[in-house]
Amino acid sequence: MEQKFIPKSLAASKESGKVTWQTPSNIALVKYWGKKNPQLPENTSISFTLSNCHTTTTLTYGKRKDVKGTYDFKVILDGKEQEDFKPKIETFFKRIERYVPFLREYTFIIDTKNSFPHSSGIASSASGMSAIALCLMSIEKEININLTEEAFYQKASFLARLGSGSACRSVKGDIVVWGEHENIEGSSDLYGIPYKDGVASVFKNYQDTILLIDKGEKQVSSTVGHNLMHGHPFAEQRFLQAQENINKIKDIFANSDVDQFIALVESEALTLHAMMMTSNPYFILMKPNTLEVINQVWAYRKKTGSKLCFTLDAGANVHLLYPENEKETVQEFIKNKLAIYCKDKSFIHDCVGNGAKQLTI
Ligand code: PMV
């Protein structure tokens, strides 16, 4: 299957150029946690694509005079050259070179910036890797003009996945599925696909406010985290549960069942953390303020009948999800009652978006 991503014509023709993509972050509703080599998920996951949290990357490329040794690139973040990002990108390049054979033929400048603050605890790997993947695909498109739009995005997602698993869900679509599932047509372990089954209007413009509880470096890297699922006593059961939860969320989306959405999404978040608490070695990634927020959300829901709920990444920050018609009241509640649990009272309002955009700068 991977074979189809190896291009037929290998020679790069363009001397030089520049391309810019803006790619979003995403938040998983059914979580990906556990993988096989090379970056293949143990279970299907599904996410909302975000809108305001995004990365903008300009890739400048020029033919190398003398192609010797390894890749030739530099990385610039917010105007400053970043040596420490290079090893991750080098690993990414090694993994994708089979599919992007012109990688060694160019000198690249990867100039990138995030719309959210650096080290805010918001993972930039999903948007960052999908941005590089899309820029490379734009170069491929120059060489292979017959590439269809569908093939372009599919391969971009395939490449992004090899950079960071969840990045394959940051390419196209408002709701994205990654990982083969018997009830989702076209789903694949190799790339994410836009979710095409019925989705009630309430979920089309869902809101996500990200509470920045802890802005530090991640306590456990995703790589270490995913590896903890190997030999984990509850792993098999968890992977089955995720497959079942995909069936459930399909019905929830189709039937506009917001109460069941809340139950499923919160359970997924806590299960992800439960997996980490029961692995060897074990970790607690929530902070006291994460729990304070969760309790406040539950109390608010009980008191007001609101449909506000939470989800978590592999860290202490909280994503608050709510329907658009509650935007005003929930945002008031966040400002007045939840901001105190955030580092420097900081949070980011976001909502479901449509995926990556090519920019002309
Ligand atoms: O893409 P990675 O390897 O950083 O893994 C991301 C895992 C979670 O964010 C915790 C869940 C998910 O599905 O996005």
Side-chain angles (χ1 to χ4, degrees), residues 26-28 30-33 35 39 45 123 125 164-167 169 178 218 222-223 226 272 312-314:
N26 72 76
I27 179 70
V30 173
K31 309 286 180 184
Y32 148 60
W33 198 243
K35 67 177 171 185
Q39 303 268 90
S45 58
S125 59
S164 170
S166 59
R169 299 189 315 240
W178 169 39
K218 274 202 199 169
S222 307
T223 312
H226 289 293
L272 168 68
L312 307 164
D313 264 338

Side-chain angles (χ1 to χ4, degrees), residues 236-279:
E236 283 315 309
Q237 204 49 44
R238 159 62 196 154
F239 301 145
L240 289 174
Q241 178 198 43
Q243 296 312 99
E244 197 38 49
N245 279 347
I246 295 285
N247 286 327
K248 288 189 183 159
I249 208 163
K250 262 185 77 150
D251 290 342
I252 289 169
F253 282 148
N255 301 330
S256 195
D257 195 341
V258 179
D259 290 324
Q260 284 308 312
F261 176 82
I262 294 172
L264 184 136
V265 163
E266 292 190 346
S267 162
E268 272 290 320
L270 295 178
T271 301
L272 168 68
H273 282 254
M275 288 297 119
M276 274 174 271
M277 286 192 230
T278 49
S279 59

Side-chain angles (χ1 to χ4, degrees), residues 69-361:
T70 185
Y71 320 106
D72 185 13
F73 69 100
K74 64 178 174 199
V75 187
I76 297 171
L77 174 70
D78 296 328
K80 281 199 213 95
E81 192 167 344
Q82 298 281 340
E83 278 294 323
D84 46 334
F85 281 20
K86 287 188 83 169
K88 197 162 182 198
I89 292 178
E90 203 153 308
T91 307
F92 177 43
F93 280 0
K94 273 191 200 130
R95 282 191 196 145
I96 63 171
E97 189 167 8
R98 254 186 100 201
Y99 312 102
V100 189
F102 55 79
L103 272 184
R104 280 175 209 259
E105 291 177 28
Y106 288 115
T107 297
F108 293 107
I109 301 171
I110 305 167
D111 191 344
T112 191
K113 57 181 190 288
N114 298 320
S115 65
F116 43 89
H118 186 54
S119 77
S120 60
I122 298 182
S124 57
S125 59
S127 50
M129 289 298 178
S130 61
I132 300 176
L134 279 155
C135 288
L136 291 172
M137 283 311 296
S138 289
I139 303 178
E140 178 163 335
K141 176 87 185 149
E142 297 268 357
I143 304 166
N144 177 6
I145 46 168
N146 296 325
L147 200 66
T148 64
E149 188 179 307
E150 195 189 344
F152 176 94
Y153 283 110
Q154 197 172 81
K155 183 165 172 185
S157 176
F158 170 84
L159 297 178
R161 182 197 105 235
L162 291 166
S164 170
S166 59
C168 76
R169 299 189 315 240
S170 276
V171 172
K172 195 175 189 340
D174 50 359
I175 299 176
V176 181
V177 179
W178 169 39
E180 199 175 323
H181 193 281
E182 56 180 357
N183 294 323
I184 301 203
E185 208 192 312
S187 56
S188 169
D189 284 353
L190 299 179
Y191 45 81
I193 58 162
Y195 180 72
K196 290 200 199 78
D197 295 346
V199 177
S201 56
V202 64
F203 297 113
K204 290 277 187 190
N205 50 5
Y206 234 64
Q207 306 293 303
D208 177 4
T209 299
I210 306 153
L211 304 184
L212 306 176
I213 306 286
D214 186 33
K215 295 193 189 176
E217 275 285 300
K218 274 202 199 169
Q219 191 187 328
V220 183
S221 73
S222 307
T223 312
V224 171
H226 289 293
N227 279 336
L228 292 173
M229 291 301 275
H230 293 140
H232 190 296
F234 309 134
E236 283 315 309
Q237 204 49 44
R238 159 62 196 154
F239 301 145
L240 289 174
Q241 178 198 43
Q243 296 312 99
E244 197 38 49
N245 279 347
I246 295 285
N247 286 327
K248 288 189 183 159
I249 208 163
K250 262 185 77 150
D251 290 342
I252 289 169
F253 282 148
N255 301 330
S256 195
D257 195 341
V258 179
D259 290 324
Q260 284 308 312
F261 176 82
I262 294 172
L264 184 136
V265 163
E266 292 190 346
S267 162
E268 272 290 320
L270 295 178
T271 301
L272 168 68
H273 282 254
M275 288 297 119
M276 274 174 271
M277 286 192 230
T278 49
S279 59
N280 180 15
Y282 43 79
F283 294 96
I284 300 181
L285 301 184
M286 288 186 255
K287 298 280 181 208
N289 281 351
T290 312
L291 292 176
E292 289 287 352
V293 167
I294 292 174
N295 281 309
Q296 291 275 348
V297 167
W298 286 342
Y300 179 76
R301 213 156 64 211
K302 198 160 175 202
K303 194 170 131 204
T304 64
S306 161
K307 304 298 183 193
L308 173 66
C309 73
F310 70 86
T311 187
L312 307 164
D313 264 338
N317 293 339
V318 183
H319 287 249
L320 293 176
L321 302 177
Y322 47 98
E324 216 241 340
N325 66 3
E326 287 194 42
K327 194 169 165 179
E328 232 168 275
T329 45
V330 166
Q331 293 191 354
E332 248 338 86
F333 168 64
I334 291 169
K335 192 171 83 191
N336 297 333
K337 294 284 185 325
L338 301 183
I340 51 164
Y341 301 112
C342 304
K343 274 265 146 59
D344 308 322
K345 299 206 167 122
S346 52
F347 51 83
I348 299 172
H349 291 313
D350 209 336
C351 59
V352 171
N354 281 316
K357 285 187 216 127
Q358 184 167 8
L359 306 182
T360 38
I361 289 183

